[in-house]
Amino acid sequence: TDRKKLHTAPVGQVFRLRPFHVLVATGGGYAGYRKYEDYKLEQLEKRGIEVPVKLASEWEVALYKSVPTRLLSRAWGRLNQVELPTWLRKPVYSLYIWTFGVNMKEAAVEDLHHYRNLSEFFRRKLKPQARPVCGVHSVISPSDGKILNFGQVKNCEVEQVKGVTYSLESFLGPRVSTEELHFSQAPPGNSFQQQLVTKEGNELYHCVIYLAPGDYHCFHSPTDWTVSHRRHFPGSLMSVNPGVARWIKELFCHNERVVLTGDWKHGFFSLTAVGATNVGSIRIYFDQDLHTNSPSYSKGSYNDFSFISNNNKEGIPMRKGEHLGEFNLGSTIVLIFEAPKDFKFNLKAGQKIRFGEALGSL
């Protein structure tokens, strides 16, 4: 009779599942399953076995997009900025170096104790002589990475990997006004691709470079050009590794990205930095107004910024090899540019490339 009563809640209330929790658990589990599938595909490729293209269905893409990758990436970014105790830095960074094959001999500062947090380590600078810039070829690689695809743009479609394409107009968005880019007005009946080509006899080319987590995370100007306009697409932050790029059509159009457009000596030129999981932070050094993976921006929209003003009639001039921006962790760079028909790429699909090495020339 002296025992205290134990008050319990109904079982249904204790184990009540909310829709958000179900989406996170289901989407996260499926994302993990896809990672395992990607690993198996990579092993087959290493053995020289050709893997057939199998695109995701609409429900699979919707399920993957249900994972709150933007929120998780913001959390990851904050975690990366937490200062590590001096005694913990070497074990943590050594594990990362071993996992992703980082070459610290190229780093400007090799001492691991120098980097206060993971963010500083990811964005480490290189020794000046580590990446000589090719002076012979007109277009160089803007970053370290792996060549996923390259070639001419055909039928307003661009290949993200072999056999999987995306829409050029969906990727770049509506054409920037000709006044900003100093281009002549294209005939209204022309396709989007033809409107980007400003000189008769030229073609539109593309090149896709994937940056792995162990790569150098800064990117540079691939040629001498002038940046006139920036377009920021808030979007998803799905993985952009080659396995996922082979699985999800128009992956780069779903993800957050920053499109820089302008012109070089042969006409239209653009560089797009594509975000990915845990890569919500895309920084352009000369653009202080850019804020990526911000909760104030909603998916499905875009915002423009012009570098042409009353005080600056030309835009932002960039020299080949000059520092342009950086990622947090790793992602993808897409170049789309106009050049004469005799432009040739000096590349092979799947090859590793380093910043400063030649992409192609006339």
Side-chain angles (χ1 to χ4, degrees), residues 59-77:
W59 73 265
E60 287 179 308
V61 175
L63 185 57
Y64 191 1
K65 292 175 73 172
S66 71
V67 181
T69 50
R70 287 165 62 87
L71 179 62
L72 292 173
S73 296
R74 284 195 289 269
W76 175 255

Side-chain angles (χ1 to χ4, degrees), residues 46 100-103 106 131 141 143-148 150 208-216 242 331 346-355 357-359:
K46 288 180 179 179
F100 296 109
V102 178
N103 183 3
E106 297 177 333
R131 296 289 187 277
S141 176
S143 66
D144 289 7
K146 178 181 180 181
I147 301 295
L148 293 189
F150 63 93
V208 183
I209 305 171
Y210 166 68
L211 288 76
D215 287 328
Y216 168 56
S331 193
N346 302 312
L347 302 171
K348 292 182 180 178
Q351 78 172 68
K352 292 288 291 182
I353 198 166
R354 304 201 304 176
F355 155 61
E357 295 179 346
L359 286 184

Side-chain angles (χ1 to χ4, degrees), residues 24-42 54-57 59-61 63-64 67 239 241 243-244 247-248:
V24 171
T26 307
Y30 192 74
Y33 165 74
R34 288 305 315 174
K35 286 287 187 182
Y36 173 68
E37 290 293 310
D38 296 339
Y39 171 76
K40 292 197 299 183
L41 290 175
E42 288 177 5
K54 183 181 179 182
L55 295 176
S57 61
W59 73 265
E60 287 179 308
V61 175
L63 185 57
Y64 191 1
V67 181
S239 172
N241 74 49
V244 177
W247 179 57
I248 297 181

Side-chain angles (χ1 to χ4, degrees), residues 175-197:
R175 187 172 181 236
V176 180
S177 66
T178 55
E179 290 79 7
E180 288 188 21
L181 296 183
H182 313 292
F183 292 165
S184 58
Q185 183 66 44
N190 285 5
S191 68
F192 182 81
Q193 177 180 336
Q194 292 171 326
Q195 290 178 25
L196 295 181
V197 178

Side-chain angles (χ1 to χ4, degrees), residues 94-231:
S94 295
L95 177 62
Y96 186 91
I97 291 168
W98 176 79
T99 303
F100 296 109
V102 178
N103 183 3
M104 284 303 295
K105 292 183 178 179
E106 297 177 333
V109 180
E110 296 184 40
D111 182 11
L112 298 180
H113 296 101
H114 168 80
Y115 302 99
R116 295 173 297 177
N117 52 48
L118 283 166
S119 182
E120 286 189 1
F121 179 73
F122 291 147
R123 295 180 288 107
R124 64 193 175 276
K125 298 297 186 288
L126 298 180
K127 294 173 182 175
Q129 66 274 19
R131 296 289 187 277
V133 175
C134 176
V136 177
H137 296 270
S138 55
V139 184
I140 62 168
S141 176
S143 66
D144 289 7
K146 178 181 180 181
I147 301 295
L148 293 189
N149 219 300
F150 63 93
Q152 283 190 19
V153 177
K154 297 180 180 179
N155 302 319
C156 294
E157 293 280 323
V158 185
E159 280 195 317
Q160 58 190 31
V161 294
K162 185 178 180 181
V164 182
T165 63
Y166 56 91
S167 163
L168 178 65
E169 186 169 5
S170 297
F171 181 70
L172 295 178
R175 187 172 181 236
V176 180
S177 66
T178 55
E179 290 79 7
E180 288 188 21
L181 296 183
H182 313 292
F183 292 165
S184 58
Q185 183 66 44
N190 285 5
S191 68
F192 182 81
Q193 177 180 336
Q194 292 171 326
Q195 290 178 25
L196 295 181
V197 178
T198 64
K199 298 180 180 179
E200 187 176 353
N202 281 3
E203 297 287 349
L204 207 60
Y205 297 85
H206 73 97
C207 182
V208 183
I209 305 171
Y210 166 68
L211 288 76
D215 287 328
Y216 168 56
H217 294 93
C218 296
F219 51 93
H220 301 245
S221 177
T223 191
D224 295 335
W225 65 308
T226 301
V227 184
S228 305
H229 185 271
R230 178 258 292 162
R231 176 169 285 160

